[in-house]
Amino acid sequence: MPEARVIPLRSDGARPRTRPRPAPRRASRPGVGSLTERTAAARGLTPEDAATGAAETPIEPAPGGELAPLPATGGPNELEERVAEVGEFLQRRITGRYSVDDFGFDRDLTEHVVLPLLRPLYERWFRVETIGTENVPLHGGALLVANHSGTLPLDALMTTVAVHDDLAVPRYLRMLAADLVFGLPGVGATARKAGHTLACNADAEALLGAGELVGVWPEGFKGIGKDFADRYKLQRFGRGGFVSAALRSGVPIIPCSIVGAEETYPKIGDIGPLARLLGVPYFPITPTWPLLGPLGLVPLPSKWYIEFGEPIPTDRYEPGAADDPMLVFNLTDQVRENIQQTLYRLLAGRRNAFLG
Amino acid sequence: MSEAPSVVLVTGVSRFLGGHLAARLASDPSIERVLGVDTTPPSREMRRRMGRAEFVRVDIRNPLIGKVISTAKVDTVVHASLSGNPGQSGGRSMMMEMNVIGTMQLLAACQRSDTVRRLVVKSTSAVYGASSRDPATFTEQTEPKAIPPGGYAKDAVEIEGYVRSFSRRRPDIPVTTLRFVNLIGPRIDTSFVRYFSLPVVPVVLGYDARVQLLHEEDAVAVLERAAANDLPGVFNVGGAGVLMLSQAIRRAGRIPLPIPQPAVPLVGRFTRRARLVDFSPEQMRLLNFGRVVDTTKLRGEFGFTPRWTTVQAFDDFVAGRGLRPMIDPARLGRLQDTAQAVARALPSGA
């Protein structure tokens, strides 16, 4: 149960001071990636040393579809392999020889198109650093609960990359999204193919029961569409539906705190009538949008941190606990407090929103 | 505890499902008589298949159906005539008449009868509607978010309402309601089958539906099982797994033609006029959002696991119809070989 606690403004060693250079994030290579870099950095090595250390571990040929060209280290067969991969992918797509699950999750497409498209944004633009990846279970159902911000749900997209690339075993984050998403042409269909589904108890429990890692942003539009002045202040955490889903499925809740997303599109105003006309919850004004037109859609290159907190177990409660509103509220508060404190701690350690 | 049927009445025998069900029941020697009713006589081929099953030409909207039931001492009624294909049913208003008024009359006759011991109703998963606010899978208890505004789906909702009130009035008769997903196979003719047979398949721009299918043979087998056993309740009936609409079109080797949402009704009218495909508005919504039903209850309580998955059923349909892919897969393979050969010949970038 939550109790009054002093928020530690500086926690030693939780976050490296030095900014590691984005190393190739191949989650299929356990031990390589941000964690190694982080420990290296903690030992006082320069990022370059860390990167060299990473390069010494044998690098398997990439499982394919990456947009960024890979360094040609594999000899003359490299190009041929890439051509074979791309060719096979295209053949599968054209003949329809791939499979989707009941939710419409298209693993082939996610792996070869969606994630490679997001990766440059993740690695180069936002230079996302993940902390506490060991807190995310590598197998079985778990509910990841995170703060929502930034006008457009880039935080959600970056988290999907984080759990795929930075865990020892790549996982697919199955997000619960608002019905608005699925009504939009293009967006809705893509969201389904990337494995996301409607935020409702039936779907959440079905996914958790199937042992999936489910992501939820309980603040919803209140969180993502809040003004820049309110940045990093958590909004109300819905009605606790996510907690009862976790309780019913007996899966742990993983609090996830995202710093950096607030600065991507600082929302300084809202054109209400236009939002109502378009049927969207808000029509944001940022320093660059709509002033600079399409250029205003380019997110500001803030430096991001994604911290996964310690899992909160839910399987020690009695069956039927999900129907106890008090317990659900308390757990909801506990998760919310946890995220809010982590946010404050991360913010206190951050010197600059763009440099980290 | 469930008694084997001895006199079975099947409605809609001139169509695929009713006809094949009658044929299957007729080949079962433990069943004394199989009566098939419909407004139009079955095709010659179907009559040959039906063997000893008797055909009674009677309109189920006519009270005469009650007479048929009482004189033949029918004990099991399988109402398989519910149709979502206006082309086969003489237009949309005729289809609605046959579906709704026909069911009302049939139920009225069953309620009066003292011989009927079991009722099986073919319904459709269209009763769940299709919208962006629905959960990914529908269980039998899921309340539809958007009540289908009209057409076939609304008819089916009304029919299920009549069936429920029937079972309230005659609690002694176990009623099985089967909510079928779209049927597909090499022989059946539905709007969906026609849709996938078009060389260029219109789809809604920006949407990709999840499609769940059931093989025609499985559909007949489910009805047969329901007719032979007391399995009261509502059951979703569908194959395992899903296909994306775009994926299905590619597997069939068709070319998708994306149409912006506002133009969809126009194209729908065109395909109807041209007698290609007749999709009612709510069936078009299916192309936007798709629909997947949870079949746990079917596999558990009902005790039936479809032999074909959605993908297998669709592939069987493609193979059975002899649909030629517009792009030859062998050519793609050759293209890839060429590309790889070029890559091999190129000097390495290092």
Side-chain angles (χ1 to χ4, degrees):
Chain A
M1 291 303 109
E3 69 250 35
R5 239 176 68 188
V6 180
I7 303 162
L9 288 182
R10 298 249 170 210
S11 81
D12 300 335
R15 193 172 59 77
R17 282 269 140 258
T18 47
R19 177 162 48 86
R21 207 175 52 187
R25 285 163 202 276
R26 301 258 34 110
S28 48
R29 290 181 284 120
V32 178
S34 58
L35 270 177
T36 318
E37 289 161 21
R38 222 179 303 289
T39 31
R43 285 202 308 264
L45 297 173
T46 61
E48 280 67 34
D49 293 337
T52 332
E56 275 161 19
T57 49
I59 295 177
E60 295 161 24
E66 213 146 317
L67 290 189
L70 289 168
T73 51
N77 282 333
E78 182 114 345
L79 180 65
E80 195 192 339
E81 263 171 38
R82 300 266 301 130
V83 170
E85 258 167 41
V86 172
E88 270 157 28
F89 172 73
L90 288 177
Q91 279 198 52
R92 276 200 303 278
R93 300 315 291 189
I94 293 173
T95 52
R97 311 275 145 192
Y98 52 88
S99 61
V100 296
D101 75 359
D102 282 3
F103 294 83
F105 173 46
D106 187 336
R107 199 180 169 137
D108 192 33
L109 190 77
T110 307
E111 187 84 42
H112 291 105
V113 177
V114 179
L115 288 172
L117 280 176
L118 294 174
R119 219 164 263 141
L121 208 58
Y122 182 85
E123 290 176 356
R124 321 245 160 218
W125 196 256
F126 297 132
R127 297 146 285 147
V128 182
E129 238 173 81
T130 44
I131 304 160
T133 43
E134 70 281 357
N135 286 326
V136 184
L138 299 179
H139 310 282
L143 185 68
L144 197 141
V145 182
N147 59 313
H148 212 7
S149 58
T151 313
L152 287 181
L154 287 177
D155 48 358
L157 297 178
M158 292 302 113
T159 313
T160 60
V161 184
V163 300
H164 185 271
D165 288 5
D166 286 354
L167 299 189
V169 175
R171 293 206 72 170
Y172 297 96
L173 186 68
R174 313 292 298 266
M175 292 191 282
L176 304 178
D179 56 352
L180 177 81
V181 170
F182 298 102
L184 291 175
V187 179
T190 314
R192 279 243 175 260
K193 286 180 192 177
H196 314 312
T197 190
L198 185 78
C200 63
N201 269 324
D203 285 9
E205 280 161 40
L207 283 170
L208 290 172
E212 298 283 352
L213 178 62
V214 177
V216 69
W217 275 256
E219 292 171 272
F221 290 118
K222 290 193 305 296
I224 191 173
K226 65 181 177 294
D227 284 338
F228 188 60
D230 295 330
R231 60 190 178 279
Y232 299 114
K233 273 183 214 156
L234 285 190
Q235 305 294 301
R236 185 163 60 82
F237 257 26
R239 277 163 276 187
F242 70 95
V243 168
S244 45
L247 278 170
R248 266 194 211 105
S249 317
V251 300
I253 296 174
I254 296 137
C256 172
S257 318
I258 303 167
V259 165
E262 293 275 17
E263 286 86 8
T264 52
Y265 299 106
K267 179 168 165 273
I268 50 175
D270 189 356
I271 311 176
L274 202 54
R276 277 192 288 282
L277 194 71
L278 294 172
V280 291
Y282 49 87
F283 188 89
I285 302 173
T286 72
T288 55
W289 169 267
L291 194 67
L292 300 184
L295 209 60
L297 290 174
V298 178
L300 299 182
S302 51
K303 164 79 183 172
W304 284 37
Y305 299 95
I306 299 181
E307 177 163 343
F308 301 103
E310 261 180 49
I312 299 166
T314 62
D315 50 0
R316 58 202 165 98
Y317 300 99
E318 292 153 32
D323 300 320
D324 177 1
M326 194 46 99
L327 176 72
V328 170
F329 284 139
N330 281 341
L331 259 177
T332 309
D333 266 359
Q334 188 187 340
V335 177
R336 190 171 173 278
E337 272 308 301
N338 186 318
I339 295 173
Q340 183 72 74
Q341 289 183 11
T342 313
L343 284 178
Y344 284 146
R345 182 162 48 73
L346 287 171
L347 284 171
R350 184 176 78 158
R351 274 168 298 191
N352 184 295
F354 299 100
L355 301 173
Chain B
M1 75 169 255
S2 53
E3 261 174 274
S6 65
V7 183
V8 186
L9 180 121
V10 181
T11 66
V13 283
S14 44
R15 272 195 296 269
F16 179 89
L17 214 48
H20 281 83
L21 176 68
R24 290 272 282 265
L25 294 171
S27 63
D28 181 351
S30 70
I31 296 173
E32 203 177 297
R33 268 181 94 183
V34 179
L35 294 170
V37 299
D38 210 325
T39 45
T40 49
S43 66
R44 183 190 291 270
E45 207 258 323
M46 187 67 91
R47 252 177 305 182
R48 192 183 50 76
R49 254 174 206 286
M50 280 165 60
R52 68 185 177 97
E54 301 153 63
F55 174 70
V56 188
R57 186 167 184 168
V58 59
D59 189 338
I60 54 169
R61 291 173 297 165
N62 192 305
L64 203 64
I65 187 74
K67 203 141 216 177
V68 175
I69 289 175
S70 59
T71 24
K73 296 196 168 47
V74 171
D75 56 36
T76 301
V77 175
V78 183
H79 184 30
S81 74
L82 184 76
S83 161
N85 188 350
Q88 277 182 335
S89 321
R92 284 195 191 174
S93 56
M94 188 60 179
M95 180 180 89
M96 180 262 178
E97 275 266 307
M98 288 302 293
N99 284 346
V100 179
I101 310 299
T103 306
M104 285 180 79
Q105 278 290 350
L106 183 71
L107 291 176
C110 291
Q111 193 182 328
R112 272 291 181 78
S113 159
D114 42 22
T115 56
V116 174
R117 294 193 318 253
R118 187 178 299 146
L119 174 65
V120 178
V121 180
K122 179 211 170 212
S123 182
T124 162
S125 60
V127 296
Y128 297 118
S131 84
S132 58
R133 294 183 296 135
D134 287 312
T137 52
F138 293 97
T139 67
E140 285 81 355
Q141 279 82 43
T142 312
E143 289 288 328
K145 281 286 184 321
I147 300 285
Y152 175 53
K154 188 170 165 244
D155 294 351
V157 170
E158 281 176 15
I159 286 167
E160 286 203 4
Y162 294 132
V163 172
R164 272 194 299 277
S165 47
F166 168 82
S167 46
R168 268 197 301 278
R169 288 193 286 263
R170 286 294 301 269
D172 55 316
I173 301 180
V175 182
T176 312
T177 307
L178 300 164
R179 290 178 179 158
F180 286 94
V181 300
N182 288 88
L183 303 183
I184 206 151
R187 289 174 297 167
I188 195 167
D189 180 21
T190 68
S191 302
F192 226 61
V193 163
R194 290 183 180 208
Y195 173 73
F196 282 116
S197 306
L198 295 173
V200 176
V201 184
V203 295
V204 190
L205 180 69
Y207 293 91
D208 200 359
R210 289 166 301 134
V211 179
Q212 188 182 20
L213 300 166
L214 182 71
H215 195 273
E216 52 189 30
E217 300 281 337
D218 277 328
V220 175
V222 164
L223 282 175
E224 193 188 9
R225 179 165 172 79
N229 302 278
D230 279 346
L231 295 158
V234 179
F235 301 94
N236 289 331
V237 191
V242 302
L243 271 171
M244 299 307 286
L245 185 61
S246 60
Q247 187 188 6
I249 292 170
R250 290 174 196 164
R251 278 184 103 94
R254 313 281 96 180
I255 307 284
L257 174 68
I259 293 165
Q261 179 77 58
V264 168
L266 200 77
V267 175
R269 263 203 300 281
F270 168 74
T271 58
R272 180 149 65 108
R273 293 267 167 76
R275 295 182 183 278
L276 293 169
V277 179
D278 190 348
F279 266 159
S280 56
E282 99 281 344
Q283 279 168 310
M284 286 185 193
R285 288 186 66 74
L286 183 69
L287 301 184
N288 281 16
F289 302 111
R291 186 191 301 130
V292 178
V293 297
D294 185 335
T295 55
T296 314
K297 203 176 159 197
L298 175 80
R299 282 177 279 125
E301 194 181 319
F302 191 85
F304 182 87
T305 306
R307 276 180 57 203
W308 281 267
T309 65
T310 294
V311 177
Q312 288 166 343
F314 191 78
D315 285 352
D316 190 35
F317 152 75
V318 172
R321 299 272 162 149
L323 295 183
R324 291 257 127 253
M326 296 281 162
I327 304 167
D328 187 10
R331 233 177 83 193
L332 289 176
R334 283 199 297 278
L335 257 174
Q336 159 135 22
D337 291 344
T338 318
Q340 266 174 263
V342 169
R344 200 176 308 136
L346 282 177
S348 78

